Amino acid sequence: DGVLLLIWGYFLKIVVADRAALFVAAVYAPESEYEGWFYIIATLLFALQLYGDFGGCSVMAMGTAKILGIDLIDNFNAPYFSQSIAEFWRRWHISMGTWFRDYVYIPLGGNRKGLAIQLRNIAIVWLLTGFWHGASWNYVLWGVFYGVLLIFEKFFLLDQLKKAPAIVGHLYTLL
């Protein structure tokens, strides 16, 4: 089982991510002469590249651990099939999200101490998630962006997404 996981992880990394990266890098290169639809395709392939890189790395870690007799949790659970941003983050990099939930969000009071505390806790978790990715402004702003988006979704959009056809939620999440 461990060897099969390693092979799948290598496939995701080498075949999916690295091949997509060639096209993405060519289109987004400063000297690129591509235009129009090429940027849309490159952006979609970049999403595939990210999944192949992170998912492949996680699967390879799971395979290596399995060979050593250690069972790790599945770190990705079809995140691109999510119907909301909140669901996406529950399915993408599960170990990181679980850690932030268990060791930051819940100890701060989670959602059990009123709306203001819940909003503060979401903001803190996502600010820290940005720092976790890297101590530079682009990562901090990335964390703030997702914190704001998740707060907006939770209080203004989630009910509408639940009532809408599944494809609406999928498209919203992917966009």
Side-chain angles (χ1 to χ4, degrees):
D1 289 342
V3 172
L4 290 176
L5 286 170
L6 275 172
I7 291 169
W8 178 243
Y10 281 124
F11 175 82
L12 287 172
K13 171 64 179 124
I14 295 168
V15 176
V16 175
D18 290 354
R19 299 293 72 83
L22 295 173
F23 185 78
V24 171
V27 171
Y28 281 110
E31 67 279 354
S32 169
E33 295 184 16
Y34 291 100
E35 54 187 47
W37 285 99
F38 285 100
Y39 283 97
I40 293 170
I41 294 167
T43 301
L44 294 173
L45 285 175
F46 182 65
L48 197 61
Q49 176 189 347
L50 280 175
Y51 181 81
D53 275 336
F54 291 130
C57 179
S58 291
V59 171
M60 285 187 276
M62 289 171 57
T64 303
K66 185 76 135 175
I67 290 168
L68 297 173
I70 301 166
D71 287 323
L72 298 178
I73 65 168
D74 190 5
N75 211 20
F76 291 86
N77 182 15
Y80 289 146
F81 292 104
S82 301
Q83 295 183 40
S84 69
I85 302 299
E87 181 185 358
F88 175 86
W89 286 113
R90 283 190 301 272
R91 292 169 164 236
W92 180 279
H93 207 325
I94 296 167
S95 60
M96 180 193 73
T98 302
W99 189 92
F100 276 109
R101 183 196 67 208
D102 292 349
Y103 294 102
V104 180
Y105 184 75
I106 291 173
L108 288 172
N111 60 358
R112 301 191 184 264
K113 294 189 175 185
L115 182 59
I117 298 298
Q118 182 182 11
L119 295 175
R120 179 203 69 182
N121 295 345
I122 292 170
I124 289 170
V125 164
W126 282 94
L127 181 64
L128 291 175
T129 302
F131 277 120
W132 181 89
H133 280 84
S136 66
W137 284 111
N138 60 325
Y139 292 114
V140 172
L141 292 174
W142 175 89
V144 168
F145 170 78
Y146 274 105
V148 169
L149 186 59
L150 285 163
I151 289 168
F152 177 80
E153 180 180 278
K154 180 177 191 66
F155 294 104
F156 301 108
L157 199 56
L158 209 50
D159 288 336
Q160 287 82 4
L161 287 173
K162 288 178 182 176
K163 294 174 188 171
I167 190 70
V168 172
H170 291 301
L171 290 175
Y172 155 75
T173 301
L174 291 174
L175 289 173

